[in-house]
């Protein structure tokens, strides 16, 4: 756990909110070790989600660098960022963000389908399906694969979202308030899943404002006034 | 892979997509129907024009006609044996037709033809009604009326040559013959029998035969069929106005001659079927004073004809053939010019050769332009489908902004997202195009039946008026190439309609999209 998988340095991000420039990140820097479970804490609106989005190449900083496995991700072009989002990073969102037209298994397979062309899918699709079923089992949804998201409870939807994040076997799992929309008991279940994944070596960066949730992580950092404080 | 998967899934799960599919479907069907009807009309004009004229027409466009036509025919056959398959003279004039016992009169265009030769240069043979059921019995020569009688077999039959001819037709066309009613093959059904159980035979004076356009003497029903009112062989009176060589009415004045109704012609060109009657060429020539006549100075004025109709051998280009015929004509004219009277020289100097296309050029070009104009109009109307596709896709992209963010968050590229919506648009065009093409083809194939059904409900709903459009049925021709172009344009138009929403979807910033409610 002493090998950095991700290093963010001096991240700045501002949003124009009407006439006012909202400076969300003001030189935030953080390093994530391989196999580590890091919790990023902070008050609502402190920029936790923005930081997570930048770490996962879903958003671009105004200033600063993010190195993933030693490679600076924002100097490599859009294709490399898309490739990173697809293969190296898995996102888990507070509001699950599952596609309502697809069933659970199809939602989980979506990143794998983005990864492969039609011909590639003909070669690798079977393996991807088998792995998706394994992940479903891992998150306890083996009997829910053919259900649509609106037929699932909140906890089940979040498990499905975790399974989707894992289907391409990413090196880094980024979870944005994964229990924020769930009751305490269900949230504990989700944390247990993350804990099990981390125990298997999965690196996790989790954003939360809940100290009890952050307690599950190996390490916690605070985002205060746009900077990381340990 | 995700693009194909999501397109198929959205096609199945998004009912709103039926709206642009229906719009494309209707537009494709509409354009295909219009193109097919206009194209069919154009093809019919060309086909009938060629079928009723011939490949080339030599004409001086006067009622007096021109002399030395037979010499020219002989010269053409001798000089251009590789080109000319058949040629025949014809005379055109005007008259009044009266059915003797009914005092039923009509103005007519009188066409003098040599029946056998005329059938050799065009499709007139297929236009004859009785000649189809009694092959070989139609003639323009002198004839009596065939009348049914009690045969030795105890059956009521027509004279033997008619029964033999009908038996020949029946043997060759059993399926069609089985459907015939006596009324359709009059004179069986119209019911005139020889009195006193006499044997089948012929009655009345021998008179020259006349073939009459079907719309002159038969009544068209709402179903598009004809009710035959007059018995074959009945007497008709033709009134003519002979002209001199100079184009003034002959001193003898109007001429009235009795004739016998030999057959009727159904060319399917309303303007011809309601106007033309056909009589023997030599007989009409004689009636109109166009036969050779002795002049007061002891010389002879040559016989005249209005036209020479020429059928070309297979594979000949009609325009190239026209030039060769014109060259022969010029040489012929220069050779005989010294011996022509001033009147004949004037008549012959006006002679020109035209192809069947040139003959109807004004009409054909007008129809072609009309076809293009209508096509453009309907294409413009079809832009509605593009707008519908655009609106629905804009709506989908707006409603699916968060989904687009999700897809991008798992690594989809802007191009990939754009491709989903453009291909989705293509799928809309594909389904709409297939449905529209099938609907259009079915509609076009049954357009006349549909019109009859509408007319049955209300006669005012009959949209195709043969008096206006020249043909008695709505002509249609589905051109495979045109249908394919319409189909491809439908797909392209749907893709264009989807393009702007697709670009909009591709530009969605995933972080914003995921926050979208």
């Amino acid at each position: 756990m002493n090998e950095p998988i991700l290093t963010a340095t001096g991240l700045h991000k501002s949003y124009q909110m009407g006439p006012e420039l909202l400076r969300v990140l003001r030189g935030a820097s953080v390093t994530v070790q391989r196999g580590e479970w890091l919790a990023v804490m902070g008050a609502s609106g402190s920029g936790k989600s923005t930081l997570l989005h930048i770490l996962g190449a879903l958003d671009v900083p105004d200033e600063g660098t993010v190195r993933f496995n030693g490679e600076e991700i924002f100097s490599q072009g859009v294709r490399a960022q898309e490739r990173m989002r697809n293969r190296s990073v898995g996102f888990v969102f507070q509001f699950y963000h599952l596609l309502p037209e697809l069933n659970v298994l199809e939602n989980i397979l979506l990143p794998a389908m983005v990864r492969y062309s039609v011909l590639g899918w003909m070669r690798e699709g079977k393996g991807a399906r088998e792995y998706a079923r394994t992940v479903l089992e891992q998150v306890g949804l083996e009997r829910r694969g053919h259900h649509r998201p609106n037929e699932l409870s909140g906890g089940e939807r979040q498990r499905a979202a975790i399974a989707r994040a894992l289907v391409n076997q990413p090196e880094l799992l980024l979870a944005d308030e994964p229990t924020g929309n769930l009751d305490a008991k269900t949230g504990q279940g989700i944390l247990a899943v993350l804990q099990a994944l981390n125990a298997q070596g999965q690196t996790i960066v989790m954003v939360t404002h809940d100290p009890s949730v952050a307690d599950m992580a190996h390490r916690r950092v605070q985002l205060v006034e746009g900077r990381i404080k340990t | 892979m995700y693009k194909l998967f999501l397109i198929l899934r959205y096609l199945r799960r998004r009912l709103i997509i039926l709206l642009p599919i229906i719009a494309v479907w209707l537009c494709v069907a509409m354009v295909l129907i219009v193109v097919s009807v206009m194209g069919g009309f154009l093809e019919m004009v060309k086909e009938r024009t060629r079928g009723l004229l011939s490949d080339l027409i030599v004409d001086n466009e006067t009622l007096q006609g021109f002399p030395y036509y037979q010499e020219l025919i002989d010269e053409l056959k001798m000089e251009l044996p590789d080109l000319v398959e058949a040629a025949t003279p014809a005379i055109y004039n005007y008259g009044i037709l009266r059915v003797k016992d009914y005092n039923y009169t009509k103005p007519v265009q009188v066409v003098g033809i040599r029946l056998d030769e005329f059938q050799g240069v065009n499709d007139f043979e297929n236009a004859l009604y009785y000649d189809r059921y009694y092959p070989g019995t139609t003639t323009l020569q002198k004839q009596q009326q065939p009348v049914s009688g009690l045969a030795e077999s105890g059956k009521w039959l027509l004279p033997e040559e008619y029964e033999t001819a009908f038996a020949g037709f029946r043997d060759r066309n059993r399926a069609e013959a089985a459907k015939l009613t006596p009324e359709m093959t009059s004179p069986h059904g119209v019911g005139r029998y020889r009195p006193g159980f006499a044997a089948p035979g012929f009655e009345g004076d021998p008179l020259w035969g006349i073939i009459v356009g079907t719309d002159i003497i038969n009544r068209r029903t709402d179903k598009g069929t004809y009710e035959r009112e007059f018995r074959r062989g009945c007497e008709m009176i033709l009134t003519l106005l002979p002209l001199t060589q100079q184009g003034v009415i002959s001193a003898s004045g109007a001429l009235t001659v009795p004739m016998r109704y030999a057959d009727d012609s159904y060319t399917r060109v309303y303007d011809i079927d309601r106007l033309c009657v056909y009589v023997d060429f030599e007989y009409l020539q004689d009636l109109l004073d166009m036969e050779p006549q002795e002049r007061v100075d002891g010389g002879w004025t040559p016989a005249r004809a209005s036209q020479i109709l020429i059928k070309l051998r297979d594979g000949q280009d009609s325009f190239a053939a026209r030039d060769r015929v014109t060259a022969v004509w010029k040489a012929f004219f220069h050779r005989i010019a010294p011996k022509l009277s001033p009147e004949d020289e004037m008549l012959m100097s006006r002679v020109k050769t035209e192809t069947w296309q040139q003959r109807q050029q004004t009409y054909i070009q007008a129809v072609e332009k009309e076809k293009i104009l209508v096509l453009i109009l309907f294409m413009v109307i079809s832009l509605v489908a593009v707008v519908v596709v655009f609106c629905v896709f804009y709506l989908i992209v707006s409603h699916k902004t968060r989904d687009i963010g999700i897809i991008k968050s798992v690594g989809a590229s802007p191009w990939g997202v754009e491709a989903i919506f453009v291909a989705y648009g293509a799928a809309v065009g594909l389904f709409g195009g297939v449905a529209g093409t099938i609907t259009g083809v079915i509609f076009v194939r049954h357009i006349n039946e549909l019109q009859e059904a509408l007319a049955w409900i209300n006669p005012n709903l009959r949209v195709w008026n043969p008096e206006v459009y020249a043909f008695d049925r709505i002509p249609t021709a589905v051109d495979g190439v045109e249908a394919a172009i319409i189909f491809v344009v439908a797909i392209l138009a749907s893709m264009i309609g989807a393009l702007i929403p697709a670009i909009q979807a591709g530009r969605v910033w995933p972080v914003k999209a995921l926050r979208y409610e």
Side-chain angles (χ1 to χ4, degrees), chain A residues 50 53 58-60 82 85-86 91 93 97 99-102 106 111 113-114 116-117 121 148 164, chain B residues 1-2 5-6 9-10 13-14 400 402-403 406-414 509-511 514-515:
Chain A
T50 300
H53 291 155
L58 206 55
D59 206 349
V60 183
E82 288 161 6
R85 286 205 298 272
N86 181 246
F91 278 99
F93 300 101
H97 290 330
L99 297 184
E101 275 88 0
L102 313 188
E106 289 163 346
M113 286 192 268
V114 170
Y116 298 114
S117 64
W121 186 254
R148 302 271 286 277
R164 180 182 63 193
Chain B
M1 177 63 200
Y2 71 105
F5 176 76
L6 289 175
R9 187 48 50 95
Y10 281 158
R13 298 264 166 91
R14 304 288 301 175
K400 287 282 159 195
R402 194 167 61 181
D403 290 8
I406 294 167
I407 295 165
K408 283 192 156 185
S409 75
V410 297
S413 64
W509 192 244
V511 173
L514 291 170
R515 287 184 185 141

Side-chain angles (χ1 to χ4, degrees), chain B residues 47-305:
Chain B
E47 184 189 322
R48 297 291 174 202
T49 303
R50 187 176 195 177
L52 292 168
L53 294 169
S54 59
D55 295 320
L56 296 179
I57 304 106
V58 180
D59 193 347
N60 77 341
E61 294 182 340
T62 66
L63 284 177
Q64 303 101 290
F66 60 93
Y68 300 109
Y69 60 88
Q70 192 58 53
E71 288 82 351
L72 179 59
I73 290 173
D74 295 339
E75 182 120 344
L76 287 169
K77 285 181 177 174
M78 192 176 70
E79 294 289 328
L80 306 171
D82 60 314
L83 196 74
V84 177
E85 183 176 316
T88 185
I91 295 171
Y92 283 86
N93 212 297
Y94 293 90
I96 297 168
L97 184 75
R98 183 165 72 89
V99 183
K100 187 182 176 188
D101 295 331
Y102 296 83
N103 290 336
Y104 171 89
T105 55
K106 284 271 184 175
V108 291
Q109 182 171 39
V110 187
V111 186
I113 57 170
R114 291 172 181 159
L115 185 57
D116 291 346
E117 288 184 9
F118 193 63
Q119 289 174 342
V121 297
N122 59 30
D123 293 336
F124 191 68
E125 185 177 8
N126 296 325
L128 296 178
Y129 183 80
Y130 289 119
D131 202 55
R132 171 162 178 72
Y133 303 116
Y134 300 90
T137 61
T138 296
T139 174
L140 294 176
Q141 300 302 308
K142 282 191 173 179
Q143 56 196 279
Q144 291 177 284
Q145 183 173 34
V147 184
S148 299
L150 194 61
E152 286 179 7
S153 60
K155 292 179 180 174
W156 289 95
L157 297 174
L158 281 165
E160 191 180 351
E161 63 187 276
Y162 284 76
E163 291 298 342
T164 306
F166 186 70
F169 162 77
R170 200 172 44 211
D171 290 345
R172 286 190 299 275
N173 307 278
R174 287 191 179 279
E176 187 186 352
K179 292 178 190 166
L180 291 174
T181 62
E183 288 74 18
M184 290 166 73
T185 54
S186 164
H188 270 307
V190 181
R192 183 165 175 213
Y193 299 96
R194 302 194 76 196
F197 302 105
F202 296 90
E203 291 186 350
D205 297 330
L207 299 173
W208 289 90
I210 184 168
I211 296 169
V212 186
T214 192
D215 282 291
I216 297 172
I217 52 163
N218 297 320
R219 186 185 302 151
R220 186 195 292 264
T221 66
D222 288 341
K223 292 177 182 173
T225 56
Y226 286 94
E227 281 180 2
R228 323 192 72 74
E229 293 188 55
F230 305 112
R231 195 164 185 270
R232 187 183 190 187
C234 71
E235 212 173 305
M236 295 185 164
I237 311 296
L238 185 62
T239 302
L240 296 162
L241 212 56
L243 298 178
T244 67
Q245 211 177 3
Q246 291 80 22
V248 296
I249 296 169
S250 292
S252 54
L255 191 68
T256 298
V257 288
M259 306 198 79
R260 217 166 269 296
Y261 165 40
D263 207 333
D264 52 67
S265 66
Y266 178 42
T267 66
R268 296 173 193 269
V269 179
Y270 182 74
D271 275 351
I272 290 174
D273 293 339
R274 74 177 177 84
L275 198 63
C276 289
V277 298
Y278 305 84
V279 300
D280 181 71
F281 175 81
E282 271 75 20
Y283 180 54
L284 184 63
Q285 198 175 42
D286 194 36
L287 291 173
L288 295 173
D289 295 338
M290 293 170 82
E291 84 284 20
Q293 289 181 348
E294 190 174 2
R295 291 200 304 260
V296 287
D297 62 3
W300 286 83
T301 57
R304 283 172 285 134

Side-chain angles (χ1 to χ4, degrees), chain A residues 146-197:
Chain A
H146 294 286
H147 287 252
R148 302 271 286 277
N150 62 0
E151 295 165 347
L152 303 181
S153 68
E156 287 172 326
R157 289 184 205 185
Q158 195 59 295
R159 285 164 191 262
I162 293 170
R164 180 182 63 193
L166 295 173
V167 77
N168 277 347
Q169 303 178 49
E171 294 174 73
L172 179 63
L173 188 66
L174 300 174
D176 186 2
E177 302 271 14
T179 60
N181 208 33
L182 303 171
D183 60 59
K185 191 181 170 190
T186 312
Q188 284 302 318
I190 294 298
L191 290 172
V193 170
L194 293 178
Q195 197 168 32
L197 289 169

